Amino acid sequence: MTTEQIPAIEVRHLTVSYGERPALLDVSVTIEPDQLVGVIGPNGSGKSTLIKAILGFVRPDVGEVLIAGQNVDRAKGLVAYVPQRGAVDWDFPITVREVALMGRYQQVPWYRSLRKIDREAALEALDMVRMSDFAERQIGQLSGGQQQRVFLARALAQGADILLLDEPFAGVDAATERAILEVLERAKSAGKTLVVVHHDLTTAAEYFDKLILLKQRLYAYGPPRAVLQEELLSQVYEGRLRVFADLTTGKGA
Ligand SMILES: Nc1ncnc2c1ncn2[C@@H]1O[C@H](COP(=O)(O)OP(=O)(O)O)[C@@H](O)[C@H]1O
Ligand SMILES: [Mg+2]
């Protein structure tokens, strides 16, 4: 049996609440393998919650998430997560190489030390994000974009087929954003499926194969051209967006 025919991620009728109000309500999405998928929607629309549900970090009230056809709880090794930069302690004394190696500990039981193959996987991952030259640098001494790439390397070193990124472009400059995007595209070419929370609608069409438009419910899912429709966007963003003309030409930026 190959996994080719099985969706990478299947979200079925997912409802997740923290308190009384659901953060996600009856969301269903099927993500095919080898895709670069963007998740868009205003603040508080449930984007991070969707990522956490796909990781199995939050329990659904209703519905389920399948990873390569299996329940999330049984598929944890298949999914790697790149956290938001704000969620990391950058003063922690650890080198770039050590962060990438952390990706391997998921595979290695506590009683066994890392093997050559683990070290190689970590170095390969650093190479993929073009950070090998910085291997011995402390993570606190890197730029925001470099830090983001190191955490991407950690996820790649894990060997997971599915990578989830929560706003990887937040707080980085345009050149760095390009560099990160290139890495995402390279990961896709290497057969990964990527789901990326993104809040810049002007670049969404250019960056992603498909977009998920969320605001508690799923408003649209499909090619950027189909999702970046004026009517849909004005419903979801409620007039907080004044650049419809550019976005809905299907060209993005
Ligand atoms: N840990 C939490 N406890 C309570 N409410 C939360 C928690 N995390 C998120 N929420 C709420 O759930 C909704 C969706 O949040 P989130 O998924 O973080 O949205 P987004 O990532 O799109 O900004 C928001 O109303 C937010 O306030
Ligand atoms: Mg968020």
Side-chain angles (χ1 to χ4, degrees):
M1 188 177 76
T2 67
T3 49
E4 300 288 291
Q5 295 83 358
I6 302 171
I9 302 167
E10 255 188 291
V11 174
R12 292 183 177 161
H13 299 291
L14 186 70
T15 297
V16 177
S17 339
Y18 298 101
E20 281 146 44
R21 185 178 174 277
L24 293 173
L25 188 58
D26 197 28
V27 170
S28 296
V29 166
T30 299
I31 297 174
E32 304 301 334
D34 297 350
Q35 295 250 304
L36 182 46
V37 176
V39 183
I40 57 173
N43 279 340
S45 60
K47 302 183 294 297
S48 295
T49 301
L50 180 63
I51 296 291
K52 286 174 193 158
I54 296 172
L55 281 160
F57 287 0
V58 292
R59 294 275 122 225
D61 302 345
V62 183
E64 62 177 348
V65 177
L66 300 181
I67 306 295
Q70 305 181 66
N71 187 280
V72 270
D73 296 328
R74 294 215 253 123
K76 287 221 163 99
L78 299 176
V79 185
Y81 174 54
V82 180
Q84 278 186 280
R85 267 191 345 109
V88 176
D89 175 7
W90 297 106
D91 293 327
F92 193 77
I94 185 170
T95 65
V96 164
R97 191 173 47 80
E98 288 164 338
V99 173
L101 265 174
M102 281 164 64
R104 298 303 299 176
Y105 282 103
Q106 255 99 351
Q107 331 274 49
V108 179
W110 61 269
Y111 51 82
R112 215 196 67 204
S113 54
L114 290 170
R115 294 166 304 177
K116 192 161 170 251
I117 186 179
D118 298 311
R119 288 175 218 292
E120 280 169 1
L123 290 178
E124 235 172 74
L126 284 176
D127 207 36
M128 191 146 172
V129 303
R130 308 278 193 255
M131 284 298 291
S132 315
D133 292 348
F134 297 85
E136 304 311 321
R137 190 78 70 88
Q138 297 286 316
I139 52 160
Q141 295 166 359
L142 302 173
S143 73
Q146 290 172 332
Q147 290 170 342
Q148 195 62 254
R149 275 146 69 193
V150 173
F151 275 80
L152 197 49
R154 184 185 69 162
L156 290 167
Q158 227 175 294
D161 288 335
I162 298 170
L163 300 180
L164 307 177
L165 295 92
D166 202 344
E167 306 213 19
F169 305 121
V172 304
D173 62 32
T176 303
E177 181 158 333
R178 282 280 144 201
I180 295 171
L181 181 67
E182 246 174 57
V183 174
L184 300 186
E185 282 169 346
R186 220 174 297 135
K188 188 187 118 172
S189 305
K192 309 285 182 188
T193 304
L194 299 104
V195 181
V196 181
V197 175
H198 187 58
H199 67 218
D200 182 4
L201 292 182
T202 62
T203 50
E206 186 195 343
Y207 290 3
F208 299 106
D209 301 320
K210 286 191 175 173
L211 293 175
I212 293 171
L213 176 61
L214 273 185
K215 193 174 78 177
Q216 189 187 41
R217 294 174 176 276
L218 181 74
Y219 276 71
Y221 173 50
R225 205 174 276 270
V227 173
L228 297 173
Q229 299 283 338
E230 182 168 348
E231 274 171 44
L232 277 169
L233 294 177
S234 61
Q235 270 180 51
V236 169
Y237 288 87
E238 297 173 67
R240 273 176 282 154
L241 207 68
R242 264 173 263 109
V243 283
F244 291 141
D246 295 342
L247 292 170
T248 52
T249 57
K251 279 192 161 166

